[in-house]
């Protein structure tokens, strides 16, 4: 092999390695250094990974009963819960607006609307086409209710935080870490070693048995955290399953094409000396 090509390949490989390790660094865990992040194997990881639907369904329950008193899901409408690849997708209802579960979930929320006859602001039950409503009327109200802290929107939080699903899960389960000496907590702040600086304006949202799961799963903190994280991973990337299956079909197509091309190449050059 020519020297030039060799150098080119070597530097190419080096560049790829640098890029990959750079990415891994950028997606680092955050946190206060000495906290050991737990890395879970998530069902949705890998080229063929899918969302664990049962976990994501339980996760929605946790979101609704616990997190939704402070955190919005502004990028989602109720009907998204019943889309293909979503936790409550049902083949019998290809149009999620007809899915009875989705209708029930929507109706469980109160939506601010305008009475078309009087122009008055009214509250009505949600329908699948509605977006998840804001929790607070404005940022000032959100801060006032949370001791100055601002609960971020959770719809894309799994993509927004380095460490992704592992970060969210660790954040939720790390509250029971004893407060180390020298850490001063002012009113409204709680110790959480996963946060930069170890302080967070959110009190531990989960405690043993906080929700009662319809499927009988025991509601430990670990379980609720895993489930709500699975749900939030879906909300951050609702098209993942569709995308992966299209990717797989494309690879299959290219593979078959490559085999056919190989045989036609053989055939075309069959009688030529070479
Ligand atoms: C009583 C209100 C309240 C509830 C309930 C609540 N949170 Fe929070 N959450 C907050 C506040 C306030 C912050 C902002 C904390 C800060 O900036 O220090 C926050 C921050 C967060 C963050 C961002 C942390 C970061 O990296 O900046 C995540 C993730 C989160 N909450 C997830 C959840 C989940 C999941 C639930 C339900 C299991 C939940 N929260 C329940 C108030 C709440």
């Amino acid at each position: 092999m020519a020297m030039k090509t060799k150098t080119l390949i070597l530097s190419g490989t080096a560049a790829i390695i640098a890029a990959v390790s750079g990415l891994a660094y950028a997606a680092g865990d955050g946190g206060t250094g000495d906290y050991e992040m737990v890395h879970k194997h998530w069902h949705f990881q890998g080229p063929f990974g899918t969302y664990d639907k049962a976990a994501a369904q339980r996760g929605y329950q946790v979101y609704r009963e616990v997190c939704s008193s402070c955190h919005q899901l502004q990028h989602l409408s109720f009907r998204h819960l019943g889309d293909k690849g979503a936790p409550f997708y049902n083949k019998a209802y290809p149009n999620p607006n007809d899915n009875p579960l989705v209708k029930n979930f929507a109706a469980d929320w109160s939506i601010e609307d305008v009475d078309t006859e009087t122009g008055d602001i009214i509250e009505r039950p949600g329908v699948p086409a509605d977006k998840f409503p804001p929790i607070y009327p404005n940022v000032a109200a959100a801060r006032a209710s949370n001791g100055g802290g601002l609960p971020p929107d959770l719809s894309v939080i799994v993509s927004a935080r380095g460490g992704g699903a592992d970060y969210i899960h660790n954040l939720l389960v790390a509250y029971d870490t004893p407060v180390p000496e020298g850490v001063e907590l002012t009113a409204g702040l709680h110790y959480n070693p996963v946060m930069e600086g170890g302080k967070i304006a959110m009190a531990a949202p989960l405690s043993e048995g906080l929700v009662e799961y319809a499927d009988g799963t025991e509601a430990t903190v670990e379980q609720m955290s895993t489930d709500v994280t699975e749900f939030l991973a879906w909300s951050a990337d609702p098209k993942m399953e569709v995308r992966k299956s299209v990717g797989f079909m494309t690879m299959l197509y290219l593979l078959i094409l490559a085999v056919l091309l190989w045989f036609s190449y053989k055939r075309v050059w069959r009688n030529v000396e070479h």
Side-chain angles (χ1 to χ4, degrees), residues 122-133:
I122 51 161
E123 293 276 335
R124 59 160 177 83
V127 293
D130 285 317
K131 292 199 131 194
F132 277 82

Side-chain angles (χ1 to χ4, degrees), residues 78-92:
F78 297 114
R79 68 185 166 78
H80 289 136
L81 296 169
D83 276 342
K84 211 169 185 182
F88 298 97
Y89 174 67
N90 182 337
K91 275 206 296 288

Side-chain angles (χ1 to χ4, degrees), residues 26-86:
D29 295 332
T32 51
D34 44 359
Y35 177 76
E36 274 282 320
M37 279 278 188
V38 179
H39 294 282
K40 272 180 105 74
H41 177 76
W42 298 94
H43 203 266
F44 48 81
Q45 283 171 339
F48 302 108
T50 54
Y51 294 115
D52 176 343
K53 299 299 174 324
Q57 291 182 1
R58 290 191 299 269
Y60 177 69
Q61 186 183 347
V62 175
Y63 168 73
R64 179 61 181 120
E65 292 180 17
V66 185
C67 325
S68 78
S69 50
C70 304
H71 293 277
Q72 195 189 352
L73 292 175
Q74 61 177 347
H75 297 298
L76 286 190
S77 299
F78 297 114
R79 68 185 166 78
H80 289 136
L81 296 169
D83 276 342
K84 211 169 185 182

Side-chain angles (χ1 to χ4, degrees), residues 198-223:
K199 293 172 191 172
I200 185 166
M202 167 169 73
L206 298 172
S207 55
E208 296 295 310
L210 190 58
V211 305
E212 196 175 320
Y213 281 133
D215 64 5
T217 304
E218 198 190 337
T220 59
V221 169
E222 167 75 25
Q223 184 70 46

Side-chain angles (χ1 to χ4, degrees), residues 59 62-71 136 142-143 145-154 157-158 160-162 167-169 171-172 175 188-190 194-196 199-206 210 224-225 228-229 232:
V62 175
Y63 168 73
R64 179 61 181 120
E65 292 180 17
V66 185
C67 325
S68 78
S69 50
C70 304
H71 293 277
Y136 304 99
R143 285 198 186 276
S145 309
N146 288 282
L150 185 65
D153 183 85
L154 291 187
I157 196 87
V158 169
R161 291 289 183 274
Y167 173 84
I168 308 295
H169 175 61
L171 179 79
L172 295 173
Y175 275 97
L189 285 185
H190 309 267
V194 175
M195 286 293 278
E196 286 295 332
K199 293 172 191 172
I200 185 166
M202 167 169 73
L206 298 172
L210 190 58
M224 288 181 284
S225 168
V228 79
T229 305
L232 293 175

